[in-house]
Amino acid sequence: MAKIQLNGKKVVIKSNYSLFDLLKKYKLTEKRIAIEHNGEIISKANYKRKNLKNNDKVEIVHFIGGG
Amino acid sequence: MEDNLKKDTFKVAGKILKSRLIVGTGKYKSFSETAKAVKASGANMVTVAIRRVNILDKKKPILTDYLNPKKIIYLPNTAGCFNSEEALRTLRLAREMGGWKLVKLEVLGDKKTLYPNMIETIKSTKILSKEGFKVMVYCTDDPLMAKKLEDNGAVAIMPLASPIGSGLGLQNKINISLIIKQSKVPVIVDAGIGTASDATIAMELGCDGVLINSAIAKAKKPILMARSFKDAVISGRNSFLAGRMGKNYFASASSPTKGLI
């Protein structure tokens, strides 16, 4: 188990969870999103390789209406 | 005359836009209303914001389900950013999301007026341009600042007509005209337009385009207002190209005096 901070909220995930697993959990694999992991932008090609550990900070963003 | 109109293309960073009206996608009652208004406006570029995904509600509808980014150009903005760092972070994320290099930069300086912080804006324009972004920049209507932006790589100058969402219309036509005269990149009036005639006036001054959000979204009938803006922008542009008549102090009869009985 690992505790991470996802979009400002505390979330508990399984050990050895990758960013891709996280996207699957939230049904976001098919969506147009971008990820920041501990302040660093992660490219799509690395979602499966990037494993999450305790206290990691993840931000998942998307487009919303704006002016 | 017809030939003249055909040649009148609107290009931003090498991209040809069919419409000189760019619309925002915020403040609508629903995504379905947003999509209908965008369609009625005839715009082929829309501004969008970047925010956290709602992880608590997986089924919540999202913008891309209603406005296909493959069919309409998304222009990611940095709304809500108050310094260069926040703006750069936001646009780098936007680029990662799908290769967006054409972006709208806005670095705000004051929560009450949402007036742009030009020092941070110029700084960000310079960095983003160096990173390969094509930056359309929201700015004050100060010609000196507009020139600085152009010198630092801005691909479009977007001066405010009046504060964002105020609906006060063009408050400084002289400054907007000065910016239009000096700029080699497109000038797009962004923010403050209240109603269709404001957009026509901006286009008659010689602006290359206008960006509208609140004036459409906050109208009593947004979809009808979107159509009205479409016509207003076309009308203003044609009027500018046609060249208005001179102003005279005294009357000049429209009917000939020769042959009067």
Side-chain angles (χ1 to χ4, degrees):
Chain A
M1 296 290 223
K3 266 188 212 158
I4 60 158
Q5 205 177 346
L6 173 60
N7 285 2
K9 291 187 175 63
K10 286 212 165 69
V11 170
V12 179
I13 51 160
K14 288 178 201 155
S15 312
N16 293 323
Y17 225 51
S18 71
L19 279 180
F20 187 76
D21 295 327
L22 192 69
L23 289 182
K24 258 203 315 210
K25 178 177 155 84
Y26 290 101
K27 297 190 166 45
L28 292 167
T29 48
E30 302 298 315
K31 304 289 181 192
R32 232 172 239 280
I33 50 105
I35 305 181
E36 203 184 67
H37 176 242
N38 296 334
E40 190 192 334
I41 295 172
I42 307 298
S43 70
K44 276 183 186 56
N46 292 327
Y47 288 171
K48 281 185 185 167
R49 261 175 271 171
K50 203 83 189 176
N51 278 348
L52 296 164
K53 52 185 191 316
N54 230 2
N55 297 323
D56 274 2
K57 273 189 185 158
V58 179
E59 295 283 349
I60 307 177
V61 297
H62 68 157
F63 288 129
I64 66 150
Chain B
M1 167 89 184
E2 281 299 311
D3 284 346
N4 269 345
L5 293 182
K6 270 182 202 158
K7 274 181 220 153
D8 181 41
T9 49
F10 176 33
K11 243 189 201 178
V12 181
K15 213 183 265 283
I16 293 175
L17 299 182
K18 280 183 222 131
S19 171
R20 291 177 179 271
L21 172 61
I22 301 169
V23 295
T25 55
K27 295 185 177 174
Y28 286 94
K29 286 185 215 87
S30 64
F31 283 136
S32 132
E33 187 183 67
T34 313
K36 281 181 195 154
V38 169
K39 198 170 175 212
S41 77
N44 52 337
M45 178 183 268
V46 295
T47 57
V48 292
I50 291 133
R51 293 290 182 273
R52 283 172 166 167
V53 167
N54 182 347
I55 53 163
L56 298 178
D57 187 356
K58 293 176 204 171
K59 285 191 183 128
K60 211 176 168 202
I62 60 170
L63 183 70
T64 43
D65 294 338
Y66 290 81
L67 282 174
N68 187 346
K70 282 179 186 148
K71 289 188 180 152
I72 195 148
I73 302 165
Y74 269 37
L75 182 67
N77 72 19
T78 60
C81 294
F82 280 83
N83 58 53
S84 178
E85 218 168 75
E86 289 168 9
L88 297 176
R89 180 186 183 197
T90 302
L91 293 179
R92 285 169 184 150
L93 279 163
R95 178 169 59 184
E96 184 52 40
M97 233 179 288
W100 273 274
K101 281 193 173 163
L102 185 61
V103 293
K104 175 187 158 183
L105 173 71
E106 58 179 285
V107 188
L108 305 173
D110 174 54
K111 286 204 165 111
K112 206 166 184 178
T113 59
L114 296 181
Y115 220 63
N117 178 333
M118 290 311 296
I119 296 158
E120 291 289 302
T121 302
I122 292 166
K123 198 167 106 186
S124 312
T125 303
K126 194 173 184 178
I127 298 171
L128 288 165
S129 300
K130 276 193 182 152
E131 286 183 22
F133 282 97
K134 307 280 180 210
V135 201
M136 299 170 71
V137 194
Y138 169 62
C139 57
T140 55
D141 58 11
D142 177 341
L144 293 181
M145 291 296 147
K147 183 73 175 52
K148 277 243 183 295
L149 289 175
E150 198 173 338
D151 291 345
N152 281 287
V155 299
I157 306 293
M158 304 171 88
L160 50 81
S162 48
I164 295 174
S166 69
L168 291 169
L170 279 168
Q171 289 296 317
N172 199 338
K173 288 197 262 181
I174 308 295
N175 276 19
I176 299 288
S177 294
L178 286 171
I179 293 172
I180 292 166
K181 280 199 182 80
Q182 74 178 17
S183 301
K184 290 188 184 72
V185 295
V187 176
I188 299 160
V189 162
D190 178 6
I193 297 279
T195 191
S197 54
D198 293 337
T200 306
I201 293 168
M203 295 308 292
E204 281 181 334
L205 287 178
C207 283
D208 295 279
V210 292
L211 199 162
I212 314 287
N213 190 348
S214 305
I216 297 175
K218 290 287 151 198
K220 289 195 179 71
K221 294 180 180 173
I223 296 149
L224 184 57
M225 190 55 95
R227 203 193 306 159
S228 171
F229 267 102
K230 178 187 179 180
D231 295 339
V233 169
I234 293 171
S235 185
R237 179 65 184 175
N238 285 343
S239 172
F240 168 73
L241 293 174
R244 63 153 294 148
M245 66 168 283
K247 290 179 183 176
N248 303 303
Y249 279 96
F250 298 105
S252 160
S254 297
S255 309
T257 45
K258 201 185 165 194
L260 254 178
I261 49 164

